Amino acid sequence: MNNTILRNKKTIWAVPAAAIAFGLLSAGCGDSGQKSEPGAQTASTASATALNGAGATFPAPLYQKWFQEYQSKNGVQVNYQAIGSGGGIKGITAKSVDFGASDAPMNDEEMAKAPGILHVPTVAGAVAIAYNVPGITTGIHLTGDVIADIFLGKIAKWNDARITALNPGKTFPDLAIAPTHRADGSGTTNIFTTYLSQVSPTWKAGPGAGKSVTWPSGLAGKGSAGVGALVQQTEGAIGYIELAYALQNKIAFADVQNAKGAFITPTVESTTAAAAGATIPEDFRTVITNTSDPKGYPITGFTFILVYKDAKPDVKKFLQWALSDGQKDAAPLVYAPLPETVQKKALAEVETMQ
């Protein structure tokens, strides 16, 4: 690609990226003599059954796994477009899909436009602070206020004294930092900016938190793939991406200091610790950032399926499966299964669907 990227503070160029779509093979193509589990439909008997969803890129690798497994066991085809949380909210509000997906809870204004909508948490995930600093391939230490000031443009070089003080023994180059962020409305952005708003009064005062914010400077890419590609291609870059994406693409990421003062590596275990220690409201609309758990990673959040109470019966059946049998697939793909208390509460919420 021959994209020109301008770095001055007032010009941000988004990197073109095709929307990631996870469309599964049609159910009629899945019947090849494969044995089905007792009580499960075969693909041929359920070839007319299909569900359509769209939204968050954050859980897309897990959802793809779930949809394939669920189809093989129950014959229900699920087509999913990973277009970002903002797109998922718009789609379910317009009822153009059977379910939406978002890493950001809908706000009160959005909820008012979608009466009867439910937030069903499926797993928790970590947002990794990815970076590209020549010669430093293992995790650096960063604090929330330093991350905020990097994205505010107040810390402009990797050898800034505030960074080097956190990383004794590491030699940072005299290299400009290139902050990189999402160009699209994103639940990942909501998690990241919610965290920054909690740890930095300056950030809270503006840009603040949300699926989309006005960034002071930096490069922009669509989806985690766009941000991840920019980080990989740009020396000095720093960005926020899903942990699973960082690991799959071998992108270095930082250990981040939590509220207890510990520098924590994002892992399934540290994400689980953050989720288990969170206070969950009745409607689940919360972002579990800046955990007080001493072993918890601070930039974490639930990802949600957004669904109406009167959704198709097959949506309810799929959610019941995802919240029970499907949880086993989370950890191998670097997502944290729901803590038992949250899992039971989520299943009870699904039971209220008609």
Side-chain angles (χ1 to χ4, degrees):
M1 296 173 63
N2 295 319
N3 295 303
T4 300
I5 301 174
L6 301 183
R7 300 175 185 268
N8 81 46
K9 288 194 173 186
K10 295 186 178 180
T11 308
I12 301 174
W13 286 74
V15 173
I20 305 168
F22 291 97
L24 304 182
L25 294 174
S26 67
C29 297
D31 186 7
S32 57
Q34 192 175 9
K35 293 183 179 179
S36 61
E37 293 188 356
Q41 302 177 58
T42 64
S44 59
T45 62
S47 58
T49 303
L51 299 174
N52 295 303
T57 63
F58 188 97
L62 175 63
Y63 285 3
Q64 183 184 32
K65 167 77 171 174
W66 276 356
F67 300 149
Q68 290 171 336
E69 185 175 341
Y70 192 72
Q71 181 179 355
S72 70
K73 292 182 177 180
N74 298 283
V76 178
Q77 176 186 344
V78 186
N79 305 304
Y80 183 72
Q81 288 188 314
I83 57 174
S85 295
I89 291 172
K90 289 179 181 177
I92 193 63
T93 300
K95 297 187 177 181
S96 61
V97 291
D98 297 308
F99 64 90
S102 177
D103 311 318
M106 295 169 68
N107 59 36
D108 291 345
E109 182 180 349
E110 291 168 334
M111 292 286 287
K113 296 176 182 177
I117 199 82
L118 301 177
H119 285 65
V120 180
T122 54
V123 291
V127 177
I129 305 302
Y131 65 88
N132 180 350
V133 181
I136 302 180
T137 57
T138 57
I140 61 175
H141 285 181
L142 294 174
T143 60
D145 62 320
V146 165
I147 296 169
D149 282 351
I150 286 173
F151 280 84
L152 286 168
K154 294 184 176 182
I155 297 177
K157 292 287 190 75
W158 277 106
N159 63 348
D160 185 280
R162 291 174 64 190
I163 295 176
T164 59
L166 296 171
N167 295 275
K170 285 186 169 63
T171 301
F172 288 85
D174 182 13
L175 177 67
I177 300 176
T180 305
H181 56 82
R182 291 280 288 267
D184 50 327
S186 159
T188 308
T189 296
N190 186 69
I191 293 170
F192 180 59
T193 57
T194 296
Y195 168 71
L196 295 185
S197 294
Q198 290 171 327
V199 297
S200 168
T202 304
W203 187 275
K204 183 177 181 180
K211 294 184 290 294
S212 297
V213 300
T214 301
W215 298 91
S217 63
L219 316 177
K222 189 171 182 179
S224 277
V227 173
L230 276 172
V231 171
Q232 288 178 302
Q233 296 165 8
T234 309
E235 286 193 354
I238 187 170
Y240 57 94
I241 57 177
E242 289 90 271
L243 174 60
Y245 189 89
L247 289 171
Q248 290 165 2
N249 291 278
K250 296 180 172 58
I251 304 173
F253 51 85
D255 297 347
V256 181
Q257 189 180 54
N258 67 13
K260 295 298 184 181
F263 287 95
I264 303 295
T265 303
T267 62
V268 169
E269 292 75 19
S270 61
T271 303
T272 299
T279 300
I280 311 298
E282 287 301 313
D283 62 3
F284 296 100
R285 290 194 297 152
T286 189
V287 182
I288 52 174
T289 48
N290 203 32
T291 177
S292 60
D293 190 292
K295 295 182 180 179
Y297 179 71
I299 317 177
T300 58
F302 289 123
T303 191
F304 304 95
I305 292 290
L306 308 174
V307 64
Y308 289 102
K309 283 192 174 186
D310 60 353
K312 294 177 181 177
D314 279 311
V315 177
K316 179 177 181 178
K317 292 176 183 177
F318 167 72
L319 287 171
Q320 289 172 324
W321 176 86
L323 292 170
S324 51
D325 292 353
Q327 292 292 298
K328 71 181 184 305
D329 296 325
L333 291 175
V334 204
Y335 299 91
L338 295 178
E340 185 177 356
T341 54
V342 180
Q343 179 189 30
K344 288 181 178 179
K345 187 176 177 181
L347 282 166
E349 184 84 332
V350 171
E351 277 299 315
T352 69
M353 294 173 63
Q354 299 172 2

